[in-house]
Amino acid sequence: MTADADQADLWAYRSAYETPADFDAFWRDTLDSAAVHPLDLRLTPVGTRLLTVDVFDVTFNGFGGHPVRGWLRVPRHRSGPLPAVVQFHGYASGRGHPLDDLLWPSAGYAHLLMDTRGQGGAWAGGDTPDPVGSGASYPGFMTRGITAKETYFYRRVFTDAVRAVEAVRAVDLVDPALVSVVGASQGGGIALAAAGLVPDLRAVHLQAPLLCDIRRAIRSTTDGPYVEISGYLATHRGAVENVFETLAYFDGIAFAQRATAPAWFSTGLMDQVCPPSTAFAAYHAYAGRKEIRAWEFNGHEAGGSLDLEIALDAFHSALSAAP
């Protein structure tokens, strides 16, 4: 267990993060700019040997009208509109293979897995380029465009996530009133942003979310994506306040304060990538009904499949047709 992870301290901990005064205006303008571009949703059936799941190659227009890819997987034997789960994947990964990630459609949900632009060179391949360049950055994605909120990488990613929710709601076989978002690590951070930007989601599941209580996280960990920011600041010594001014517009705490859908959080108390205090900071700030599970002897995997079991049980009632 890390020094960050004393459970009594975690329940008492509240972040010192402060939301910028123009946070809501910034995101309203960002999403309005994206809405100018037609969604242009395209679904192409993918042939597989699966007997119980149909797979579609998905493309829709995200930030700047840039095409974003994904997979839509749905139970083959279905009747009537389906509840939907939009999933965002972990850092540096991509949407992977059509046969990956069959949990949610196997449980009866329409499942949209969104590619993260520019990523997909790590453990699962991706197919969505990021056509926007950036200034100097540390290797990875965390510092791309970090000198201004308008150019920061995650402005585009979070906008893509909102458009992914719009995309799944535009699918004929989906009930647009029964949509949830899920993710682990980076995917959890993206899902939390979507929950704060989309007001009428039905449920949220967040495993060890990245991009929460960012200033503390950078100073509390020596592993994972946050190291890219500390590495950047080690050579750009005069940029510290400018960088944290930018990151304030992308901190999960601000999105948590604006999210109202029922949410299930998890964290591993030995997590060296996303310190458990940062997950608790977002949990404490979350405005909707919420639960959190802290796994005492787990790291960044948090509860793994047991977290997913909890989510399946919770979503069964949260995504029912009843209001």
Side-chain angles (χ1 to χ4, degrees):
M1 184 179 297
T2 68
D4 180 74
D6 183 271
Q7 290 205 51
D9 291 342
L10 292 174
W11 284 107
Y13 175 68
R14 299 296 186 274
S15 173
Y17 165 82
E18 295 183 2
T19 307
D22 63 340
F23 179 92
D24 293 310
F26 169 73
W27 281 107
R28 183 173 57 250
D29 292 346
T30 295
L31 298 181
D32 285 349
S33 295
V36 170
H37 303 281
L39 193 60
D40 193 21
L41 174 65
R42 285 161 281 168
L43 302 178
T44 303
V46 176
T48 74
R49 293 290 185 181
L50 297 175
L51 299 179
T52 60
V53 174
D54 291 329
V55 183
F56 298 86
D57 190 342
V58 175
T59 305
F60 62 90
N61 289 338
F63 178 92
H66 306 149
V68 178
R69 305 288 294 277
W71 299 121
L72 177 69
R73 301 176 176 93
V74 298
R76 178 165 298 172
H77 307 293
R78 54 188 183 268
S79 60
L82 296 168
V85 174
V86 182
Q87 181 179 358
F88 309 102
H89 58 70
Y91 191 72
S93 179
R95 65 175 182 164
H97 191 274
L99 299 184
D100 296 339
D101 297 297
L102 299 177
L103 171 70
W104 293 105
S106 298
Y109 300 97
H111 172 231
L112 176 62
L113 175 62
M114 186 192 86
D115 227 7
T116 300
R117 59 170 61 219
Q119 297 189 6
W123 47 274
D127 296 294
T128 302
D130 183 8
V132 180
S134 74
S137 63
Y138 193 90
F141 306 95
M142 293 286 279
T143 64
R144 292 190 181 181
I146 202 169
T147 57
K149 60 184 183 295
E150 293 81 7
T151 59
Y152 190 45
F153 173 72
Y154 284 100
R155 182 189 185 212
R156 303 189 289 281
V157 173
F158 290 174
T159 302
D160 292 345
V162 172
R163 298 281 276 182
V165 173
E166 295 174 10
V168 83
R169 283 178 163 164
V171 175
D172 288 341
L173 54 82
V174 167
D175 185 335
L178 299 178
V179 176
S180 64
V181 293
V182 303
S185 190
Q186 174 186 254
I190 299 171
L192 183 54
L197 293 170
V198 180
D200 52 354
L201 295 172
R202 288 295 287 265
V204 183
H205 184 241
L206 310 162
Q207 286 181 287
L210 188 71
L211 296 164
C212 295
D213 204 6
I214 299 173
R215 185 185 287 259
R216 177 182 176 91
I218 293 169
R219 292 171 172 160
S220 301
T221 186
T222 57
D223 191 17
Y226 289 120
V227 173
E228 297 172 21
I229 301 176
S230 58
Y232 177 89
L233 293 176
T235 56
H236 295 77
R237 298 177 179 86
V240 173
E241 290 310 312
N242 173 234
V243 162
F244 283 116
E245 286 173 8
T246 294
L247 291 172
Y249 292 86
F250 303 91
D251 199 301
I253 293 177
F255 297 111
Q257 291 168 344
R258 290 155 174 78
T260 58
W264 287 264
F265 289 76
S266 72
T267 184
L269 296 189
M270 302 182 77
D271 193 341
Q272 300 290 335
V273 177
C274 295
S277 63
T278 65
F280 269 86
Y283 165 80
H284 290 311
Y286 197 87
R289 182 165 60 85
K290 59 199 176 185
E291 296 180 16
I292 188 168
R293 182 67 181 267
W295 301 92
E296 184 174 3
F297 294 103
N298 287 97
H300 194 49
E301 77 281 9
S305 296
L306 288 178
D307 281 334
L308 297 177
E309 186 175 44
I310 291 169
L312 284 171
D313 287 342
F315 280 28
H316 180 72
S317 57
L319 292 176
S320 69

